[in-house]
């Protein structure tokens, strides 16, 4: 199993450009999520999904869109990038069920918006 | 809503010395608690987790953590630190069945030789 994969690893954008961060998992996990990591702030939840066709907002959703058309993929879209979105982005996946299930993290995407 | 506090932003210890990183959480029900480590430029690696049962949990790389409900704490410990342990450490709490994690702000560990 490849686990959770993210592409690209690095990206530089200009203000106003759009792009999609890709996330895929091959563990048949129902739950997938996106976090951003900023210095001194830990990781903050952007959006999450509990299954195909179901998404919801996390703590910091503004400026980001998501969709979940398949179990495997959970892309994160920036429609008009802003310098405040410069960050490291992590995707995670896990099972859902009767109790909490461990999440598995991807290697991250480092995004710089100029 | 749950929250996590890591009161120490930066800690420096000598190689071979013992280590304790503090973590306090706020959550109304039984928490699911985690410690992750992140080396510079790398992703997150799970060190250990507490779901239920024995309140002293063992993890990888010689780390352990103790869940203390009365103090709402889940401190990470290691008896003898190695230079390779220098990294950033994150405590996190998971809630309910939605698998959402709330992270602390992290503690950066520096190890002097």
């Amino acid at each position: 199993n490849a686990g959770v994969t993210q592409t690209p690893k690095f990206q530089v954008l200009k203000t106003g450009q759009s792009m999609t961060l890709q996330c895929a998992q091959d563990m048949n996990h129902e739950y997938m999520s996106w976090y951003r990591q900023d210095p001194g702030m830990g990781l903050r939840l952007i959006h999450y999904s509990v299954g195909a066709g179901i998404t919801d907002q996390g703590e910091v959703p503004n400026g980001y869109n998501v969709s979940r058309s398949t179990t495997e993929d959970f892309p994160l879209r920036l429609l008009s990038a802003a310098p405040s979105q410069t960050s490291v982005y992590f995707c995670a996946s896990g099972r859902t069920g009767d109790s909490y299930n461990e999440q598995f993290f991807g290697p991250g995407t480092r995004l710089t918006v100029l | 809503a749950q929250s996590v506090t890591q009161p120490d932003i930066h800690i420096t210890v000598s190689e071979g010395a013992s280590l304790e990183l503090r973590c306090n959480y706020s959550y109304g029900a039984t928490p699911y608690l985690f410690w992750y480590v992140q080396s510079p430029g790398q992703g997150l690696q799970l060190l250990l987790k507490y779901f239920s049962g024995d309140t002293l949990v063992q993890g990888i790389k010689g780390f352990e953590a103790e869940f203390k409900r009365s103090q709402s704490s889940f401190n990470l410990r290691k008896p003898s630190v190695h230079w390779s342990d220098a990294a950033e450490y994150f405590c996190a709490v998971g809630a309910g069945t939605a698998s959402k994690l709330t992270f602390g702000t992290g503690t950066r560990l520096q190890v002097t030789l």
Side-chain angles (χ1 to χ4, degrees):
Chain A
N1 287 350
V4 180
T5 58
Q6 292 183 236
T7 56
K9 291 187 177 181
F10 301 94
Q11 183 71 50
V12 179
L13 293 178
K14 295 180 179 179
T15 297
Q17 287 185 314
S18 63
M19 80 159 296
T20 299
L21 307 185
Q22 301 291 345
C23 174
Q25 52 90 12
D26 60 359
M27 297 173 280
N28 202 31
H29 286 164
E30 303 91 346
Y31 185 85
M32 297 185 74
S33 56
W34 278 101
Y35 293 84
R36 60 177 289 172
Q37 182 182 23
D38 302 292
M41 304 191 74
L43 281 79
R44 293 179 292 168
L45 182 65
I46 304 172
H47 285 285
Y48 66 96
S49 168
V50 298
I54 306 170
T55 64
D56 205 348
Q57 296 180 351
E59 180 184 356
V60 288
N62 292 343
Y64 307 95
N65 283 347
V66 293
S67 60
R68 183 96 178 269
S69 56
T70 67
T71 299
E72 295 78 18
D73 301 296
F74 191 45
L76 179 72
R77 298 182 185 85
L78 285 71
L79 298 180
S80 179
S84 61
Q85 295 177 304
T86 294
S87 188
V88 181
Y89 292 84
F90 289 98
C91 179
S93 75
R95 299 193 182 283
T96 58
D98 295 334
S99 62
Y100 186 87
N101 291 282
E102 178 182 344
Q103 290 193 62
F104 298 85
F105 283 82
T109 294
R110 186 175 295 273
L111 175 67
T112 301
V113 182
L114 303 176
Chain B
Q2 64 267 30
S3 65
V4 177
T5 301
Q6 293 182 248
D8 304 306
I9 296 174
H10 186 211
I11 284 182
T12 301
V13 300
S14 300
E15 188 175 40
S18 63
L19 171 70
E20 183 170 25
L21 302 182
R22 295 183 291 167
C23 172
N24 293 97
Y25 69 90
S26 174
Y27 182 59
T30 300
Y32 302 99
L33 297 162
F34 306 83
W35 276 99
Y36 287 89
V37 61
Q38 184 182 38
S39 298
Q42 301 299 310
L44 292 161
Q45 181 180 24
L46 180 66
L47 282 176
L48 48 78
K49 59 190 177 187
Y50 172 78
F51 279 14
S52 65
D54 194 347
T55 57
L56 183 64
V57 293
Q58 303 296 321
I60 62 172
K61 303 185 178 185
F63 286 92
E64 66 178 27
E66 186 171 12
F67 169 59
K68 293 185 177 180
R69 185 186 299 275
S70 62
Q71 299 177 17
S72 298
S73 68
F74 189 57
N75 293 350
L76 181 70
R77 301 193 294 248
K78 187 170 185 179
S80 177
V81 171
H82 189 263
W83 64 265
S84 61
D85 293 325
E88 189 153 23
Y89 292 79
F90 293 94
C91 181
V93 59
T97 60
S99 299
K100 286 190 285 185
L101 281 174
T102 298
F103 284 84
T105 52
T107 297
R108 181 164 298 278
L109 174 65
Q110 183 177 356
V111 180
T112 58
L113 300 177

